[in-house]
């Protein structure tokens, strides 16, 4: 019962996803999820954010200086900020600008010429009480809590809401600030404020506040922009990685220091496994940071947040029911896996969010494989995979800010594991994963781009394979019957062009079959031959 409840907590965001799929889309959805004409003409370069946090009032105020490059001439620019936050002023080159608000989009009227290749800045002042998270990180927003010593413990987690839930920004996945960002957080002394990247400066102010300034050099996805405020203490380490020494920084509540020093020993183990499978950690310039948070955790770039209670498993339980899930801290491993898939390689449209979640869920399997053996990873995946829901396709609807089914986690990982079996060569599979990460390093990409890359590198026709698992709710079935010593078999419940070889065990000996939708036959060793499909394939076997 405990594990079932834990899994229910894990997939609570099924409800908002399925509700979104049932609703009719409106203009506000297109304003959020599409590349409007007010977005497509400018390329985001850098954010310089200054924000003051009035914890007692749950109030934010500040400004964001947005640097951008002009792609083509235009006179209206879209900035996003969600109610009840509001923009109070916008200025460019010393002149305050007018703007019109529609839904959560602000259309800014620019008076200065916007000529191609020019680099411009826009300064935007904002304030308000940001949405409060009811079930972070899935039901996103700000979290205003107290630690057990009654010190404020504050954070934001905005994966589903987006950065515009609190920050005026270009809140769409396809465009990230190419030159990173800088964020200064001002909050009450003696609280410590932590954000992405490296700490540049701490300044004590005369009004009883401290300002912490953090810098990110690499591109950063909007929902990954993060702040954490609490009674933090810091400790650190250095990992000898593929690209040289990697700084590891940890910020934890003061009374959890001893537990953190033990539990966070899994970070170097994670890096060793993931650099083996995926290639170098993608943000050496910004370091790796793990920050205690007042919720379960999230993949904020170079500032992964952690709230798993300093215990292995998912809140102390094994989502796979295999026992293998208790060999690692789910949040450390899963959320750190997102540094490669989500933070370095980011979906161009959130409809393709499987790129983030399928590969990162599979990173849990690869972590077990690396440290505990292939069978440990297999057991974990097979146990975990049984929780697939098949409520709707993994890929959502494009250009309306709509994600697909939460099966992008488990079913998506099962798809990748099946592909690994089809490749049937772990060195080639590893080369593929590392190639994905080097080819699409620090890029926003589409599912189509990734699918085409995988087909090119494997020389396999996987059009039907990807359609089956990503664009339908069907789990493929191999139907079979035995007549005398003949095995008859075929695929059912498949989409057009689904065709992969499948590993069977006949009398415990490996036999590769190539089913189609038409009946095929093979001679069995005897009438009593045992037949089973390799469980590592996400395919069901059904007697007729």
């Amino acid at each position: 019962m405990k594990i079932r409840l834990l899994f229910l907590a894990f997939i609570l965001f099924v409800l908002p996803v399925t509700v979104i799929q049932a609703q009719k889309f409106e203009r506000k959805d297109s304003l959020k999820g599409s590349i409007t004409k007010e977005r497509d003409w400018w390329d985001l370069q850098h954010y310089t954010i200054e924000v003051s946090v009035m914890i007692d009032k749950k109030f934010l105020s500040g400004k964001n200086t947005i640097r951008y490059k002009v792609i083509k001439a235009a006179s209206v620019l879209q900035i996003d900020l969600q109610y009840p936050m509001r923009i109070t002023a916008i200025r460019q080159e010393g002149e305050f600008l007018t703007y019109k608000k529609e839904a959560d989009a602000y259309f800014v009227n620019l008076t200065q010429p916007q000529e191609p290749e020019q680099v411009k800045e826009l300064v935007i002042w904002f304030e308000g009480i940001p949405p409060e998270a009811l079930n972070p990180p899935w039901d996103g927003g700000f979290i205003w809590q107290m630690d057990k010593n009654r010190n404020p413990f504050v954070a934001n987690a905005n994966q589903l809401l987006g950065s515009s839930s609190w920050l005026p920004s270009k809140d769409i996945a396809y465009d990230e600030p190419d030159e990173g960002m800088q964020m200064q957080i001002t909050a009450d002394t003696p609280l410590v404020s932590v954000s992405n990247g490296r700490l540049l400066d701490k300044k004590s102010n005369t009004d009883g506040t401290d300002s912490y300034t953090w810098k990110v050099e690499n591109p950063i996805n909007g929902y990954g922009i993060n702040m954490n405020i609490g009674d933090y203490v810091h400790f650190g380490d250095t990992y000898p990685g593929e690209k040289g020494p990697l700084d590891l920084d940890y910020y934890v509540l003061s009374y959890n220091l001893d537990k953190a020093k033990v539990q966070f020993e899994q970070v170097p183990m994670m890096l060793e496994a993931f650099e083996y499978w995926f290639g170098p950690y993608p943000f050496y310039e910004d370091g790796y940071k793990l920050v205690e948070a007042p919720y379960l955790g999230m993949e904020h770039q170079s500032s992964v947040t952690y709230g798993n209670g300093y215990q292995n498993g998912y809140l102390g339980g094994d989502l796979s029911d295999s026992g293998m899930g208790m060999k690692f801290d789910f949040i450390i491993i899963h959320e750190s896996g997102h540094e490669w898939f989500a933070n370095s390689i980011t979906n161009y449209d959130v409809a393709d969010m499987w790129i983030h979640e399928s590969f990162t869920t599979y990173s849990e399997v690869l972590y077990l494989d690396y440290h505990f053996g292939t069978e440990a990873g297999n057991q974990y995946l097979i146990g975990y995979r049984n929780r697939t829901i098949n409520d709707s396709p993994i890929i959502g609807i494009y250009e309306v800010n709509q994600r697909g089914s939460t099966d992008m986690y488990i079913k998506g990982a099962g798809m990748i594991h099946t592909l690994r079996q089809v490749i049937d060569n772990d060195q080639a599979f590893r080369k593929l994963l590392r190639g994905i990460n080097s080819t699409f390093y620090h890029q926003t990409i589409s599912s189509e781009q990734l699918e085409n890359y995988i087909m090119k590198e494997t020389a396999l026709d996987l059009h039907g394979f990807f359609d089956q698992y990503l664009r339908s709710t069907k789990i493929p079935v191999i139907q079979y019957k035995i007549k005398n010593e003949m095995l008859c078999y075929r695929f059912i419940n498949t989409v057009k062009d689904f065709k992969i070889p499948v590993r069977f065990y006949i009398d415990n000996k490996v036999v590769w079959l190539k089913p189609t939708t038409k009946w095929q036959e093979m001679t069995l060793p005897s009438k009593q031959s045992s037949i089973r499909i390799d469980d590592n394939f996400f395919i069901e076997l059904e007697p007729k």
Side-chain angles (χ1 to χ4, degrees):
M1 178 61 72
K2 180 182 178 184
I3 301 305
R4 298 291 174 186
L5 290 174
L6 288 172
F7 183 70
L8 179 61
F10 175 63
I11 61 165
L12 273 176
F13 60 95
V14 163
L15 290 176
V17 170
T18 52
V19 167
I20 286 171
Q21 289 181 331
Q23 77 179 28
K24 293 181 178 179
F25 295 107
E26 303 173 1
R27 176 165 161 77
K28 66 179 182 180
D29 302 306
S30 296
L31 288 176
K32 181 70 169 69
S34 67
I35 305 174
T36 62
K37 68 179 186 299
E38 294 84 8
R39 282 172 165 161
D40 72 350
W41 64 268
W42 59 285
D43 180 25
L44 182 59
Q45 298 292 299
H46 188 269
Y47 289 141
T48 302
I49 304 162
E50 299 174 31
V51 58
S52 294
V53 184
M54 298 177 66
I55 296 173
D56 57 337
K57 296 181 179 180
K58 300 182 179 180
F59 186 86
L60 307 181
S61 64
K63 67 178 180 179
N64 185 11
T65 301
I66 300 175
R67 186 163 71 239
Y68 63 92
K69 179 183 288 187
V70 179
I71 300 172
K72 59 185 179 181
S75 60
V76 180
L77 179 149
Q78 179 180 337
I79 289 293
D80 308 293
L81 185 63
Q82 299 173 31
Y83 180 83
M85 297 297 293
R86 68 188 188 97
I87 289 174
T88 58
I90 303 176
R91 188 175 69 189
Q92 185 169 69
E93 297 182 22
E95 181 180 1
F96 286 96
L97 305 177
T98 61
Y99 47 86
K100 179 182 73 172
K101 184 178 186 298
E102 181 182 356
D104 294 324
Y106 287 74
F107 295 99
V108 185
N109 300 307
L110 303 171
T111 58
Q112 298 296 320
Q114 309 288 315
E115 298 178 0
E117 300 302 316
Q118 281 186 328
V119 175
K120 297 279 191 175
E121 285 191 348
L122 204 64
V123 185
I124 305 174
W125 284 264
F126 64 97
E127 66 179 22
I129 297 175
E132 194 162 346
L134 299 177
N135 180 37
W138 304 290
D139 182 7
F142 264 71
I143 303 96
W144 309 90
Q145 288 190 10
M146 306 290 282
D147 67 21
K148 71 178 186 181
N149 290 337
R150 305 303 298 167
N151 294 307
F153 194 18
V154 179
N156 71 318
N158 306 125
Q159 182 171 13
L160 299 188
L161 276 178
S163 58
S164 63
S165 60
W166 69 277
L167 176 72
S169 58
K170 189 176 187 179
D171 193 8
I172 187 167
Y174 88 97
D175 197 7
E176 300 179 351
D178 300 329
E179 298 169 1
M181 73 161 200
Q182 184 169 302
M183 181 151 74
Q184 180 188 86
I185 306 168
T186 299
D188 295 335
T189 305
L191 299 173
V192 177
S193 299
V194 183
S195 185
N196 313 78
R198 296 184 184 273
L199 181 63
L200 284 186
D201 179 61
K202 176 198 170 183
K203 180 177 67 174
S204 294
N205 306 310
T206 58
D207 60 355
T209 62
D210 290 331
S211 298
Y212 288 81
T213 302
W214 297 82
K215 181 180 181 181
V216 173
E217 292 191 12
N218 292 291
I220 182 169
N221 57 51
Y223 79 80
I225 299 174
N226 180 235
M227 69 170 75
N228 305 273
I229 303 170
D231 177 30
Y232 287 124
V233 293
H234 167 262
F235 68 103
D237 198 358
T238 302
Y239 177 74
E242 285 195 17
K243 291 176 69 174
L246 172 63
D247 292 333
L248 311 179
D249 290 286
Y250 308 117
Y251 286 83
V252 300
L253 295 180
S254 57
Y255 51 78
N256 286 330
L257 178 60
D258 291 340
K259 288 189 289 187
K261 285 183 175 180
V262 174
Q263 194 71 6
F264 290 1
E265 289 177 359
Q266 292 187 39
V267 170
M269 295 177 65
M270 172 275 298
L271 289 164
E272 182 180 353
F274 290 172
E275 287 208 327
Y276 172 83
W277 285 109
F278 300 147
Y281 173 74
F283 306 106
Y284 270 75
E285 299 83 358
D286 298 317
Y288 172 91
K289 188 158 58 269
L290 198 57
V291 185
E292 186 170 357
Y295 61 94
L296 187 59
M298 199 177 137
E299 67 266 25
H300 302 104
Q301 182 173 312
S302 67
S303 184
V304 174
T305 48
Y306 175 86
N308 200 38
Y310 299 99
Q311 58 190 330
N312 278 4
Y314 181 92
L315 294 173
D318 180 5
L319 292 171
S320 75
D321 295 327
S322 69
M324 296 301 109
M326 298 307 297
K327 291 184 176 293
F328 63 94
D329 188 312
F330 180 94
I331 293 301
I332 293 176
I333 304 310
H334 180 92
E335 304 304 344
S336 297
H338 275 305
E339 293 282 50
W340 285 263
F341 292 97
N343 296 342
S344 177
I345 301 174
T346 306
N347 50 222
Y348 192 84
D349 187 297
V350 294
D352 288 334
M353 192 172 161
W354 78 270
I355 297 170
H356 297 193
E357 300 300 350
S358 299
F359 279 96
T360 300
T361 299
Y362 198 67
S363 75
E364 302 158 29
V365 178
L366 295 174
Y367 176 86
L368 284 167
D369 185 300
Y370 185 88
H371 287 293
F372 301 99
T374 300
E375 186 56 30
N378 291 350
Q379 289 179 32
Y380 179 79
L381 186 281
I382 292 166
Y384 204 1
R385 192 180 65 197
N386 292 332
R387 301 183 184 277
T388 299
I389 299 168
N390 288 318
D391 59 330
S392 58
I394 286 176
I395 289 181
I397 299 174
Y398 293 99
E399 297 188 346
V400 288
N401 192 43
Q402 196 252 329
R403 300 158 181 83
S405 168
T406 53
D407 278 347
M408 69 178 76
Y409 291 82
I410 303 166
K411 183 180 176 181
M415 176 191 73
I416 295 168
H417 196 58
T418 300
L419 176 62
R420 181 181 178 183
Q421 310 313 308
V422 172
I423 293 172
D424 196 32
N425 181 324
D426 269 2
Q427 288 307 309
F429 181 65
R430 176 185 175 224
K431 181 180 178 183
L432 175 66
L433 294 175
R434 291 175 67 95
I436 290 170
N437 278 278
S438 61
T439 300
F440 301 114
Y441 179 77
H442 290 182
Q443 293 182 36
T444 58
I445 67 169
S446 67
S447 182
E448 183 180 9
Q449 282 178 276
L450 183 53
E451 292 169 47
N452 288 337
Y453 177 85
I454 292 172
M455 287 189 282
K456 178 175 178 285
E457 294 301 309
T458 61
L460 296 171
D461 180 0
L462 297 170
H463 289 93
F465 174 83
F466 287 121
D467 285 346
Q468 180 80 40
Y469 291 105
L470 296 176
R471 299 178 178 89
S472 84
T473 58
K474 298 178 179 180
I475 299 299
V477 174
I478 295 179
Q479 193 176 59
Y480 77 99
K481 55 188 176 181
I482 297 176
K483 291 183 178 180
N484 299 320
E485 295 182 5
M486 297 299 297
L487 170 66
C488 304
Y489 58 94
R490 67 175 180 179
F491 268 133
I492 61 171
N493 204 43
T494 58
V495 302
K496 182 182 178 182
D497 296 329
F498 180 78
K499 52 184 179 182
I500 58 170
V502 182
R503 186 189 300 118
F504 272 75
Y505 293 96
I506 298 178
D507 294 337
N508 295 319
K509 293 183 178 179
V510 173
V511 176
W512 283 89
L513 301 181
K514 295 182 178 180
T516 68
T517 54
K518 295 181 179 180
W519 286 106
Q520 299 184 67
E521 295 181 346
M522 70 165 289
T523 303
L524 294 172
S526 72
K527 295 179 181 179
Q528 290 76 38
S529 288
S530 62
I531 300 169
R532 63 185 176 91
I533 193 172
D534 189 324
D535 287 339
N536 291 293
F537 285 77
F538 198 0
I539 295 173
E540 296 177 357
L541 188 62
E542 176 186 287
K544 180 173 174 61

